[in-house]
Amino acid sequence: MASAMVLRAPGQPLVDEPRQPAPPGPGQILIELGACGVCRTDLQISEGDLPPKHLPIVPGHQAVGRVVAVGTGADRWKIGDRAGVAWLAGTCGVCDKCRSGRENLCVRATFTGWDVDGGYATHLTARADFALPIPDGFDDVAAAPLLCGGVIGYRSLGRSGIQPGGRLGLYGFGASALITIQVARHWGCRVFVVTRSKAEQERARLLGAEWTGGLGERPPEPLDAAITFAPSGDVVRSALQAVDRGATVAINAIHLDRMPEFPYQELWWERRLASVANFTRQDAAELLRLAAEIPIRTEVDRYPLGEANRALAALRDGAVKGAAVLLP
Ligand SMILES: [Zn+2]
Ligand SMILES: [Zn+2]
C-alpha cells in the first residue's frame, strides 16, 4: 500500500500515513521508490534545527526508483526509467544565478523534503527537469547515498580547489566523506583525515588515507586544501590552522554551531574559507558519471521505511556506520 512517513511538527516522531499518489502534473514525473537515503539535514529538519518551511512535510532527498507515470511535457522520461531525486527540487531558471551556472544559489530554489514532499515514502512526485538519470551499475540502495553526501562532497572538492595529487584534509568522516575520499584517491590526492572516532580513522585508512588523527591533532605537513564535514566552527578553525598559504577550507555544512573568533594571522597569506551551498544538476551528473567510472562503493545500513524514526535516532547517536537507507 502507498504510504509516507510524515513530519507533523518538529521534535515529534514521523507518522506513518497511507498516501495514494496523485497523477503527475505538467512537467512532473511520478516515481515508485526503491530506496531513500537518510541525511543529517533530515534530522535537523525533524528536530527543528532547520525550521521546516512547510508542514506537514515528508522528509528525504536521496530518493531512487522507477518512473511509473509521466506528466505532459515531461517526455524526456519513459515509464520504467530509473530516476533519482536530490535536494534541489527546482529553481526559477531566470535569475542571474540560474543563468550563470549557479542554480544552487537561486533565491527561489525549492528543496526536496523541506519545501516539497520528499522520499520517505513509497512514491514521490518530482519536477521532470530536476530528476536525475541513475547510471546502471548501481542498485537503488547503493545509488541513494550518492545523491546528497556524494554530490555535496564532490562540490566541496571543487570549492576547496584541490588539484590532482594535492594534499587534502578531511575533517569528520561520515557518509559524505566516505564518498569524497574515493573521488580524491581516484584523482591521486594524498588524503589526511581528522576525526574523533577510532573506527572512522580505521575506515579512512582502509580507503587510502595516508594519515589519520583525532580532533586537535595536526596533519604532519601543510595541506593544499581541506574540507570540514562536522557542524562545528572549532573544527573549521583547526582545518584553517592546518592548511598552507593560499589554501582553501571548504565548509560542507548547511548549519554550524557558531564561528569562533580567531586571530587574523590564521587567515592571512591568502587562505580562504568557503561555504558550500547545495549543488547544481551539473554537479550531480558529473558525480554520478564519476561514481560509475571509479566505481564508488557505498556502505549502507538498511532500515524498513516504517522505521525511519529509528534510522534518524541512529544517525543522531552516531550509530550508523556508512549511510542509512530506507527501503519502502
Ligand atoms: Zn542531505
Ligand atoms: Zn533562479
Side-chain angles (χ1 to χ4, degrees), residues 308-326:
N309 290 308
R310 195 164 65 81
L312 286 168
L315 189 63
R316 184 187 53 224
D317 301 341
V320 178
K321 285 205 296 294
V325 173
L326 300 178

Side-chain angles (χ1 to χ4, degrees), residues 217-239:
E217 282 185 73
R218 180 97 49 107
E221 14 183 326
L223 303 170
D224 299 310
I227 302 171
T228 64
F229 296 91
S232 153
D234 290 330
V235 168
V236 171
R237 184 178 174 195
S238 37

Side-chain angles (χ1 to χ4, degrees), residues 38-42 61-62 87 147-149 152:
V38 177
C39 174
R40 189 158 294 279
T41 305
D42 304 337
H61 53 271
Q62 306 176 80
W87 179 233
L147 291 181
C148 185
I152 195 84

Side-chain angles (χ1 to χ4, degrees), residues 61 85-91 108-117 125-131 279 281:
H61 53 271
V85 178
W87 179 233
L88 199 58
T91 58
R108 287 192 285 275
T110 52
F111 301 102
T112 311
W114 198 21
D115 294 284
V116 298
D117 283 342
T125 303
R127 262 179 73 167
D129 52 348
F130 277 80
F279 47 80
R281 283 170 283 177

